[in-house]
Amino acid sequence: MRTLLPAVTMIALAGFGGAAQAQCPELTRLRREAVEATKPMNRGLMPDRCDAYIRASLAWRTVRAYAQDHQEMCNISGRSLSEIDKLHHDAMVARNNVCAGRPARAFPADIILR
């Protein structure tokens, strides 16, 4: 389950057009930083995972705010903006769970029943 967020992140990043990269290098930089902030927490090597999840959620919040503020200028589609919103939401849910001592993602129902 830990690999779900990076997979979703890469799919979402692939959905962004090259025009946004050419017109808005700041958005590209912010997305890259958010992906980098997400990577270390998936390795399970960090002693304080809560801080890592906080940093990742803040990075995605910054990407989301920039994309919303510059949607027209950067030619960001509504679909791309909703993908960014989902990534931010997923990062917040994972942060809340980890910082509360729960797994980052809920276990599927069939695992819980066994």
Side-chain angles (χ1 to χ4, degrees):
M1 283 305 223
R2 287 190 212 158
T3 60
L4 180 62
L5 188 60
V8 171
T9 302
M10 291 304 159
I11 291 169
L13 291 177
F16 295 120
Q21 290 180 352
Q23 294 174 357
C24 298
E26 181 70 9
L27 180 61
T28 304
R29 182 187 66 79
L30 291 171
R31 286 191 323 235
R32 189 177 328 116
E33 289 175 3
V35 170
E36 289 301 315
T38 304
K39 285 182 182 179
M41 58 189 189
N42 292 320
R43 294 186 197 131
L45 301 175
M46 303 185 87
D48 192 1
R49 293 180 55 200
C50 182
D51 288 342
Y53 279 89
I54 290 171
R55 280 191 300 278
S57 68
L58 290 174
W60 283 111
R61 182 178 68 182
T62 304
V63 172
R64 180 176 161 252
Y66 186 88
Q68 286 177 335
D69 292 344
H70 299 87
Q71 183 177 8
E72 191 172 309
M73 183 182 80
C74 295
N75 195 25
I76 300 171
S77 70
R79 180 176 176 223
S80 295
L81 192 58
S82 67
E83 289 173 354
I84 292 171
D85 284 340
K86 182 178 179 344
L87 288 167
H88 175 243
H89 179 264
D90 291 346
M92 287 188 328
V93 168
R95 176 203 64 202
N96 292 343
N97 286 338
V98 168
C99 292
R102 297 184 298 263
R105 305 279 179 258
F107 290 112
D110 61 340
I111 293 175
I112 294 172
L113 293 175
R114 293 183 183 166

